[in-house]
Amino acid sequence: MKGLISFAVKRGIATAVLVLVVVAFGAYNYLLLKLDMFPELTFPTVVIVTTYTGAGPADIETLVSRPIEQAVASVKGVKKLRSYSMSGSSIVLAEFNWGHDMKAAEREVQKYLDIFNQALPTDVLKPIAFSIDTSLMPIMMLGVSGPYAPAEVRKIAKDVVKPRLDRVDGVAAVDIEGGQQRQINVFIDPQRMRALGVSATTVVNALRGANMQVPGGQVDDGDKSYTIETEGQFASVDEINRVVVGNREGRMLTVDDVAEVQDGFVESRAVSRDNGQDSVMLSIRRQSDANTVLTARAIRKAIDEMRATLPPGVKITTLMDQSEMVTRAISNLADTAWQALLITMLVLLVFLGSFRGSIVVGVTMPVSLIATFGVMGQMGVTLNMISMAGLALAIGMLVDNSVVVVENVFRHFKKGGVSAAEASVQGTSEVAVAVTAATLCHLVVFGPILFVPGFASQIFRDMALTICFSLLISLFVALTLMPMLTARLVARGLSFDTGTRRRVSPFKSIAARVDRIVPFYIGLLDGSFRHKNKVLLGGLAIFALSLAATALWLNVDFMAQSDVGEINLTVKVQPGTTIKDFDALARRAEKEISAEVPEAAAVEVQFGETEGFGAF
């Protein structure tokens, strides 16, 4: 190890170039790091969402949830099955062991669902199966509203806004909820059907058979071949009215004899409002390898471009933007780093009495942090809340090694009789083993997290990697860059006379005052050695009190509470409550919130049944 230190001091230019290369490599990787809210997490759960419009919870459980459970139970590796049956939708959760290949599990679940799909009612939408990971979380939620009918607002969101957002780089899917959808409704009259002897099943089968698009094949005419297209789908309400549903005494019965056909909308079973105005909500999910911040920035740019082309009065409101939380966390980390750096340099300035010495130690922190970004980029670690927590935790430990090295080098300077280079080599070599052991102790604490199985390994892996790599880099900097800088920069600002220990420094008066603490500390140590038992008992008492205080007053939670500028309220009503009654309750809550919280920028309300991914 002394050879490395000697090389760093004697080959100062080579050492500086090596450090600059490492810093440049880290800065380059920092620009390429993905910014995200959380690490890439894949839970050992496959979710199967099935929509059956109009069915109640009991029918959903009998006709949908149980057949799907029976089908998925045959999948290899399934540890536990759970199902939730609600009005109009079924959610089945298939849990596997941690470490299971969830992509393979997802494919196998879908295969068994395709095999057993015939056991489900014919009008049930095809089940959607997907494994749970962080990429499923929406990175942005938008509200589209305007002075138009709900159906028109949804049409604008579907035909204008959604296609433009789908083309944004990094966007995986845009889900639409709220508004009204066009639907041709057939209202059958039970009395007329009974009088004419026509059943509801007959009407349904007649409409289904008349609304079929069947290929017409091809016809050869000499040297040419023509493809025949058949017009088998309804083009107007009149065509539906003329569909034959039966025969009574030689008279053909049509749909308009037993029912009323209306060009209307899907029965509203869900409500979405933005600041008291009916709106359509868009949930935007990113691609698994996309950068959250860059994707959100591109979405905002696309929205700004769309505003000029939207119909008059249509507004697009940002209800949630995950990138703002990420950028705020990065900004907080940068503030923490600068504050820690300035405070550390101030403390060193007081105790060492050398401005250059504090500057040299201050170099350690940015060099170690920037170099850590290079390792993070090569290891596939994203800059997220967990990895940034690791960096924030490591900031306080990055300067430890350099402080020990610089202080011991100063001690050799004060002895005199040696050159600056020799003092740097000797001072660093004496404490090299100590700082290495201290760094390894930290690695022993955080390193095993990488080998912990299950969820803890996934979520804390990034934090453990950033702490371990930053500490290793700080050790390398302390044993190479620090002695080189102290030999070339610090020594020029200091002068010591052999035997007199006289320091010539602009801050010698401050250091001299601090030196007065040394006799007091020596006396305190002597007293501690003379009363070993009392010191030991006092330490054990403090330790016991700390454990008691932890059990009594320290709250335990899975994740730390964070202020994201958003409050979510969940309202539960009695089973069977109509959408109309729920809407009246929601409007009352909106008014009270707006009155009590005037500073609220937006009040978003959403309730009712949803389809597909929205049901989950």
Side-chain angles (χ1 to χ4, degrees), residues 369-382:
L369 281 178
I370 296 174
T372 303
F373 292 139
V375 182
M376 291 172 62
Q378 298 304 308
M379 294 293 294
V381 179
T382 61

Side-chain angles (χ1 to χ4, degrees), residues 564-581:
V564 296
E566 180 180 302
I567 297 177
N568 295 317
L569 302 178
T570 301
V571 180
K572 294 184 179 180
V573 296
Q574 293 293 332
T577 303
T578 63
I579 290 292
K580 182 179 180 181
D581 292 339

Side-chain angles (χ1 to χ4, degrees), residues 41 89 93 114 122 192 260 282 293 317 319 334 350 409 413-414 422 484 528 533 605:
L41 300 176
S89 60
L93 304 178
D114 294 339
T122 55
R192 284 193 285 172
E260 180 183 356
L282 303 180
V293 174
T317 306
L319 305 176
V350 171
V409 170
F413 280 146
K414 290 189 289 185
E422 292 175 349
M484 186 271 289
S528 300
N533 294 334
V605 176

Side-chain angles (χ1 to χ4, degrees), residues 203-217:
V203 176
V204 171
N205 291 335
L207 292 173
R208 183 179 291 121
N211 190 40
M212 296 178 61
Q213 187 74 23
V214 180

Side-chain angles (χ1 to χ4, degrees), residues 32 51 106 126 210 214 278 322 332 366 387 411 442 459 539:
L32 301 179
T51 301
E106 184 179 335
K126 184 178 179 181
V214 180
D278 290 337
Q322 195 181 96
N332 292 338
S387 61
R411 186 174 63 86
H442 289 118
I459 194 168

Side-chain angles (χ1 to χ4, degrees), residues 119-133:
L120 300 177
T122 55
D123 49 349
V124 171
L125 297 182
K126 184 178 179 181
I128 302 173
F130 53 89
S131 57
I132 303 178
D133 58 50

Side-chain angles (χ1 to χ4, degrees), residues 8 15 58 117 132 203 225 231 241 275 302-303 333 336 365 371 430 504 534 553 570 576:
T15 303
N117 193 37
I132 303 178
V203 176
S225 179
E231 296 182 357
N241 282 321
N275 288 330
I303 293 173
L333 175 66
T336 301
M365 190 179 297
E430 287 181 356
V504 179
K534 293 181 180 179
W553 296 302
T570 301

Side-chain angles (χ1 to χ4, degrees), residues 522-533 535:
I522 294 176
L524 183 63
L525 287 178
D526 291 338
S528 300
F529 283 120
R530 288 195 302 268
H531 303 87
K532 299 177 184 178
N533 294 334
V535 173

